[in-house]
Amino acid sequence: MSKRRGGVPLRVNFACRRCKPCPTQCHAGRWEFCLSSLEIPVRQFPLPALLKNLEELLHRGVRQFKFVDRTFNLNLTISKALLQFFLDRYSPGLFVHFEMIPDRLPEALREIIARFPPGALQFEVGIQTFNPAVSQLISRRQDYTRLADNFRFLRQHTGVHVHADLIAGLPGESLESFGEGFDKLVTLLPQEIQVGILKRLRGTPIVRHDTEWGMVYSEKPPYEILQTKLIDHESLQRLKRFARFWDLIGNSGNFVTSTPLIWQNRQSPFIEFLRFSDWLYDKLRRKHGIPLVELAEMLFTFLTIEKQLLPQSVAAAILADYQAGGRTDVPVFLRAHVPGFAPSRRDRSRPPAPSRQQRHLAGNPNVTAF
């Protein structure tokens, strides 16, 4: 629970324990990387008492609620009651986060969810892998047809913000199959795709795959996977950089319009973003401490020089993203490409790209006519 001045809580995280076993036993088999699979049975707060406490928190000024129960939509009675509770008391600024099972969204829940205004609900959807063989290895059952239908409903008929999770480094998952899963998830259009790196949590049965699948983990917390039989150490390092840069570009909301340009006219968003990630790290040699304007300029450089997209089109997309957050200025590197913007003398003297990229511009007749 976080508090504002005066002791009134602003945000409360609830771990709603269930009376039934976790879906690791009752719905989806054991998720071998998850600590919840070890907590059997789990407890459930009495619903009347829970709703009474929620009512009190609302009266005290709480506007953000985060439920970290991983099976919010498993018990239909409870999930309906919670959704209806917040819908009946909705006012602008209320935000409620739930974690949900991706292939279970019955009509009774859909009807309530569709009535919430945009931005009021966020669903965290743990998919982890689209590879059926990998799912079987980690004892996770998932109906991918229902999953896709639920995503289409959420994106086309509701204002829910969808945050979907994938895990890199699972036993039996290759770089190629992970990329195929990422591409499938992109087509389902969640607002955020969280790419996580597998961790060996103490006590979880994922360790039973260590020998067969060559699972090598760091000896230091958080015990991230370093390599597997199918993904070598260098490739996993690339995936870690991919995850970081995807968070900065794809998930941040700062590049909603311009991110899809990275894979424009290509079949695989994963391959193209991995290419961008490798290029970006080669240029910056760091993953953190990158100012927004610098990140935007690097994206502009990649799209116009490496992909040879039209600078005016790229500039329009990046500027729209940049100003969507309430900014009114035009970054210096975009000014020469914005119609009706007269660059200053200082701007005109500034090269359109860093020196190394400028040399490429000078030698490429297809991109010199900015």
Side-chain angles (χ1 to χ4, degrees), residues 112-260:
I112 300 177
I113 292 168
R115 292 162 59 193
F116 277 86
L121 290 180
Q122 174 170 292
F123 287 168
E124 183 172 341
V125 186
I127 297 172
Q128 320 312 0
T129 181
F130 276 95
N131 187 325
V134 175
S135 290
Q136 185 174 6
L137 276 174
I138 61 174
S139 307
R140 181 184 181 95
R141 293 190 298 273
Q142 212 158 225
D143 187 325
Y144 291 108
T145 301
R146 286 186 179 180
L147 181 155
D149 181 65
N150 290 338
F151 265 76
R152 283 190 289 270
F153 166 75
L154 290 174
R155 294 297 286 121
Q156 296 174 12
H157 302 290
T158 78
V160 174
H161 182 102
V162 181
H163 174 117
D165 297 335
L166 289 179
I167 294 181
L170 291 169
E173 188 92 86
S174 66
L175 185 67
E176 292 74 21
S177 70
F178 177 82
E180 290 170 1
F182 183 88
D183 290 345
K184 289 178 182 178
L185 189 50
V186 168
T187 65
L188 297 178
L189 303 176
Q191 285 92 340
E192 296 185 38
I193 299 175
Q194 187 68 44
V195 178
I197 307 299
L198 178 66
K199 298 172 180 62
R200 186 199 62 210
L201 302 180
R202 292 186 182 276
T204 56
I206 192 75
V207 295
R208 72 187 183 93
H209 301 292
D210 287 1
T211 300
E212 181 181 0
W213 293 102
M215 312 290 284
V216 178
Y217 297 90
S218 170
E219 295 181 354
K220 299 179 180 179
Y223 311 110
E224 283 188 336
I225 190 72
L226 298 177
Q227 67 181 53
T228 74
K229 182 179 179 179
L230 300 181
I231 306 180
D232 60 26
H233 179 73
E234 181 181 353
S235 296
L236 266 170
Q237 293 304 305
R238 292 176 69 198
L239 282 174
K240 289 180 68 175
R241 294 193 292 267
F242 177 103
R244 172 58 181 167
F245 291 138
W246 177 261
D247 203 39
L248 292 176
I249 298 289
N251 286 343
S252 66
N254 289 322
F255 301 96
V256 174
T257 304
S258 44
T259 295

Side-chain angles (χ1 to χ4, degrees), residues 33-50:
F33 50 83
C34 178
L35 285 174
S36 291
S37 64
L38 306 179
E39 192 175 8
I40 301 171
V42 288
R43 304 175 306 279
Q44 176 184 317
F45 292 122
L47 185 59
L50 175 60

